[in-house]
């Protein structure tokens, strides 16, 4: 590679890297210019204020989502003394301008320190195969502003949206809600559409299957401009406050024309058996530390290891369950140092869960990843590896601070090897917990997993969990143990 070409590449890189949204500090030695600044990471568009100066702007993008696509346009200058307008065009390759809407219609405005504007491309109906939308910067009101980068290799004065195969699906972000059991009580829940939805299609579709243990009505909000989720309102129509009885209804997402149920497809609404408990016992606090986002509990389960049953270790990021002030098990965790009660944080005194600190990956709740040989670890495919409300504690005599019983909160979890191969597994179980030495707590319980296809019914094994990484090794058991299965 000759020296001239190397210098040319370095100059191009300098132009691109100096044009991030938060880094417009160009001097007067470089003429101002306007260009498309569409950035992606792992083929996912980055949206303001997220920026990355090391990523080059794209001139094309393959879109399979029907959510509004945001296409930023950036002006390279430190500030503007007077407004600048830029006219652009939007043309469909099939001359079908009814399947999408562009906003603003054909003009962008830059003024003062506002040196980035956005073209919003909304999709109003399903597009045809091999269709594309071409955006082009046409004219600028200030003749001193150059249209496109100051190079001919990557001008970025045009941007093409290739419309690929549409992938539309839905999922439940939360899999369980609790009721008090009062007539008129309302539970709000969402159905998420990660790639968006067309209201006209969903309005006609039947997306739920019901298994009801009590009477309720179901309505939803107007769709509005939000194409990422729908909020539903479940209103209880009967009194189910018997403390000694458990009431449960289940709503299951089913496939509909053009839409696939994926990830968490079951939502359970429960009025649990009520047990008198003193929140000051607060057993959940023994197994979580909200000040440490990477706090772990440590566990062992009796499992097959190369043909032999043995205790095998695992750990999982562990968190309290955040609740509202009016929850009967709410205990104040923090007032955030203010006298304003509206910013107070409450935790459930008797529940803990397992989840990632951030991101879209998964952790190893109950060591479940050892149960499968080919599991997918992304939350989109296997959300069941993150069980945000997993264990519930019942202190002895309702107020013991050192021991009691524990319940694996009954629920359905989804685990799969791919987006097209997922399995719904019912989990349950129970056991005990106690302080076995100063500050060291042990949870001893049986975990049951039920799925006819994977296990031929229900399988179970013994678990031990601890709030410290240093604990006595459990004694070997003389019982059978489950072995790894293929999803």
């Amino acid at each position: 590679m000759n020296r001239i070409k190397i210098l040319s590449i370095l100059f191009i890189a300098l132009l691109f890297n100096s044009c991030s949204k938060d880094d417009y500090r160009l001097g007067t030695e470089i003429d101002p210019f306007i260009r498309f600044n569409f950035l992606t990471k792992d083929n996912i568009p980055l949206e303001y204020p997220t920026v990355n100066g090391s990523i080059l702007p794209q001139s094309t993008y393959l879109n399979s989502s029907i959510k509004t696509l945001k296409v930023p346009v950036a002006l390279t200058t430190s500030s503007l003394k007077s407004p600048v307008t830029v006219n652009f065009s939007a043309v469909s390759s099939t001359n079908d301008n009814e399947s999408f809407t562009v906003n603003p219609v054909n003009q962008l405005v830059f003024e003062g320190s506002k040196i980035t504007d956005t073209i919003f491309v909304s999709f109003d109906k399903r597009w045809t195969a091999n269709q594309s939308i071409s955006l082009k910067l046409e004219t600028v009101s200030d003749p001193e502003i150059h249209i496109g980068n100051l190079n001919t290799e990557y001008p970025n004065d045009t941007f093409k949206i290739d419309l690929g195969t549409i992938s539309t699906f839905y999922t439940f972000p939360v899999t369980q809600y609790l009721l008090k059991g009062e007539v008129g009580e309302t539970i709000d829940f969402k159905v998420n559409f990660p790639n968006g939805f067309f209201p006209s299609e969903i309005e006609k579709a039947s997306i739920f299957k019901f298994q009801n243990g009590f009477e309720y009505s179901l309505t939803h909000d107007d769709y509005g401009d939000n194409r990422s989720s729908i909020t539903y309102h479940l209103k209880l129509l009967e009194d189910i406050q018997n403390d000694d009885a458990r009431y449960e209804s289940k709503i299951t997402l089913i496939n509909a024309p053009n839409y696939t149920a994926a990830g968490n497809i079951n939502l359970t609404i429960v009025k649990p058996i009520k047990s008198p408990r003193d929140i000051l016992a607060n057993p959940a606090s023994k197994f979580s530390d909200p000040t440490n986002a990477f706090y772990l509990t440590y566990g062992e389960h009796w499992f097959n290891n190369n043909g032999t049953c043995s205790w095998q270790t695992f750990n999982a990021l562990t968190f309290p369950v955040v609740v509202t002030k009016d929850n009967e098990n709410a205990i104040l965790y923090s007032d955030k140092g203010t006298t304003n009660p509206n910013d107070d944080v409450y935790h459930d005194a008797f529940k803990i869960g397992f989840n990632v600190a951030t991101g879209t990956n998964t952790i190893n709740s109950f060591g479940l990843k050892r149960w499968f040989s080919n599991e997918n670890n992304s939350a989109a495919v296997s959300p069941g590896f993150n069980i945000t409300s997993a264990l519930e504690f019942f202190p002895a005599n309702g107020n013991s601070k050192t021991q009691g019983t524990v319940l694996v909160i009954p629920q359905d979890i989804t685990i799969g090897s791919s987006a097209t191969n997922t399995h719904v597994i019912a989990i349950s179980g129970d056991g005990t917990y106690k302080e076995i030495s100063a500050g060291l707590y042990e949870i001893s319980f049986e975990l049951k997993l039920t799925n006819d296809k994977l296990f031929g019914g229900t399988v179970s094994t013994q678990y031990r969990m601890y709030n410290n990484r240093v604990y006595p090794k459990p004694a070997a058991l003389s019982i059978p143990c489950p072995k790894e299965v293929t999803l």
Side-chain angles (χ1 to χ4, degrees):
M1 185 180 293
N2 61 45
R3 184 182 180 192
I4 293 176
K5 191 168 184 179
I6 292 174
L7 290 175
S8 176
I9 292 174
L10 289 175
F11 179 64
I12 292 168
L14 175 62
L15 285 176
F16 281 132
N17 289 334
S18 64
C19 295
S20 297
K21 175 68 180 70
D22 294 334
D23 194 25
Y24 289 101
R25 292 187 289 272
L26 298 178
T28 56
E29 70 277 4
I30 297 179
D31 292 335
F33 58 93
I34 187 90
R35 55 95 170 99
F36 288 103
N37 190 34
F38 189 88
L39 306 178
T40 65
K41 185 176 182 182
D42 299 327
N43 202 43
I44 299 174
L46 298 182
E47 296 184 6
Y48 179 81
T50 303
V51 294
N52 191 323
S54 65
I55 298 177
L56 297 182
Q58 304 293 306
S59 60
T60 63
Y61 178 69
L62 178 61
N63 181 58
S64 60
S65 169
I66 57 179
K67 292 170 61 177
T68 297
L69 186 65
K70 302 176 184 178
V71 183
V73 178
L75 173 60
T76 56
T77 184
S78 56
S79 63
L80 295 167
K81 294 181 180 179
S82 58
V84 171
T85 58
V86 175
N87 291 326
F88 68 92
S89 60
V91 179
S92 167
S93 61
T94 59
N95 294 318
D96 172 19
N97 293 329
E98 296 181 356
S99 61
F100 68 95
T101 302
V102 174
N103 187 40
V105 176
N106 58 11
Q107 190 175 85
L108 301 169
V109 179
F110 305 84
E111 54 186 334
S113 60
K114 176 181 173 271
I115 50 180
T116 288
D117 205 351
T118 303
I119 300 172
F120 297 86
V121 182
S122 302
F123 302 99
D124 305 315
K125 65 179 183 179
R126 290 184 179 265
W127 52 76
T128 59
N130 301 319
Q131 187 177 354
S132 65
I133 301 170
S134 294
L135 305 176
K136 183 180 180 180
L137 302 176
E138 300 283 2
T139 61
V140 58
S141 61
D142 186 341
E144 294 186 0
I145 297 176
H146 186 267
I147 295 178
N149 284 314
L150 301 181
N151 65 80
T152 58
E153 192 168 357
Y154 302 103
N156 290 115
D157 58 344
T158 62
F159 183 74
K160 182 182 179 185
I161 306 167
D162 289 317
L163 301 178
T165 302
I166 299 175
S167 172
T168 44
F169 60 97
Y170 34 56
T171 188
F172 285 123
V174 178
T175 60
Q176 188 176 90
Y177 288 91
L178 299 182
L179 287 169
K180 296 177 183 177
E182 302 168 351
V183 174
E185 184 179 356
T186 300
I187 294 291
D188 296 335
F189 67 88
K190 286 187 176 183
V191 176
N192 280 354
F193 295 76
N195 279 349
F197 66 94
F198 291 113
S200 60
E201 293 179 345
I202 293 300
E203 190 65 47
K204 300 174 184 176
S206 176
I207 68 172
F208 296 133
K209 180 177 70 174
F210 302 95
Q211 182 180 337
N212 296 331
F214 48 81
E215 294 295 322
Y216 60 87
S217 63
L218 194 63
T219 58
H220 63 76
D221 286 346
D222 292 337
Y223 300 127
D225 295 328
N226 174 25
R227 302 293 174 84
S228 297
S229 66
I230 301 174
T231 299
Y232 288 83
H233 311 283
L234 182 150
K235 183 177 181 181
L236 187 60
L237 300 180
E238 64 173 310
D239 185 277
I240 53 171
Q241 295 186 77
N242 183 351
D243 292 344
D244 298 324
R246 174 185 171 91
Y247 298 84
E248 177 180 304
S249 286
K250 182 178 292 185
I251 301 175
T252 300
L253 290 171
I254 58 176
N255 295 335
N258 296 319
Y259 293 85
T260 303
N264 291 319
I265 65 171
N266 289 321
L267 171 66
T268 306
I269 302 98
V270 177
K271 201 296 292 182
I273 295 173
K274 189 173 182 179
S275 176
R277 290 174 289 184
D278 184 355
I279 61 171
L280 296 180
N282 199 10
S285 66
K286 307 297 190 299
F287 299 95
S288 64
D289 181 5
T291 65
N292 179 4
F294 301 100
Y295 175 83
L296 297 169
T297 49
Y298 303 84
E300 309 234 2
H301 60 166
W302 189 247
F303 208 82
N304 187 289
N305 182 20
N306 294 323
T308 303
C309 293
S310 64
W311 287 108
Q312 299 192 56
T313 62
F314 67 92
N315 57 61
L317 292 170
T318 309
F319 298 93
V321 174
V322 178
V323 295
T324 56
K325 181 180 180 179
D326 60 350
N327 186 294
E328 64 181 2
N329 297 327
I331 188 167
L332 180 65
Y333 167 67
S334 173
D335 62 7
K336 294 189 176 181
T338 73
T339 57
N340 180 5
N342 294 325
D343 65 0
D344 292 350
V345 179
Y346 288 85
H347 292 163
D348 193 305
F350 307 108
K351 293 179 182 177
I352 59 171
F354 311 107
N355 203 357
V356 292
T358 59
T360 59
N361 225 326
T362 55
I363 47 91
N364 200 12
S365 298
F366 297 135
L368 287 174
K369 293 182 180 180
R370 188 173 283 120
W371 286 73
F372 312 103
S373 62
N374 59 333
E375 73 278 4
N376 187 305
N377 291 320
S378 74
V381 175
S382 301
F385 284 134
N386 299 334
I387 307 177
T388 56
S389 187
L391 292 174
E392 183 169 8
F393 301 96
F394 297 84
N397 300 317
N399 60 6
S400 174
K401 295 186 177 182
T402 59
Q403 62 182 330
T405 58
V406 67
L407 177 73
V408 177
I409 299 173
Q411 58 192 286
D412 293 328
I413 62 173
T414 299
I415 294 172
S417 61
S418 68
T420 57
N421 181 38
T422 60
H423 303 268
V424 176
I425 301 167
I427 65 170
S428 61
D430 59 80
T432 61
Y433 73 95
K434 63 179 178 179
E435 186 177 28
I436 58 175
S437 64
L440 177 63
Y441 284 80
E442 176 188 72
I443 309 173
S444 174
F445 62 97
E446 177 186 38
L447 177 67
K448 300 176 181 179
L449 276 66
T450 301
N451 180 283
D452 290 339
K453 183 176 180 180
L454 294 176
F455 311 119
T458 299
V459 292
S460 66
T461 194
Q462 285 292 313
Y463 277 74
R464 306 289 185 268
M465 289 184 66
Y466 304 88
N467 62 338
N468 193 296
R469 68 187 309 164
V470 179
Y471 56 84
K473 187 74 174 181
L477 303 176
S478 57
I479 60 173
C481 61
K483 62 181 180 180
E484 185 181 73
V485 299
T486 300
L487 293 167

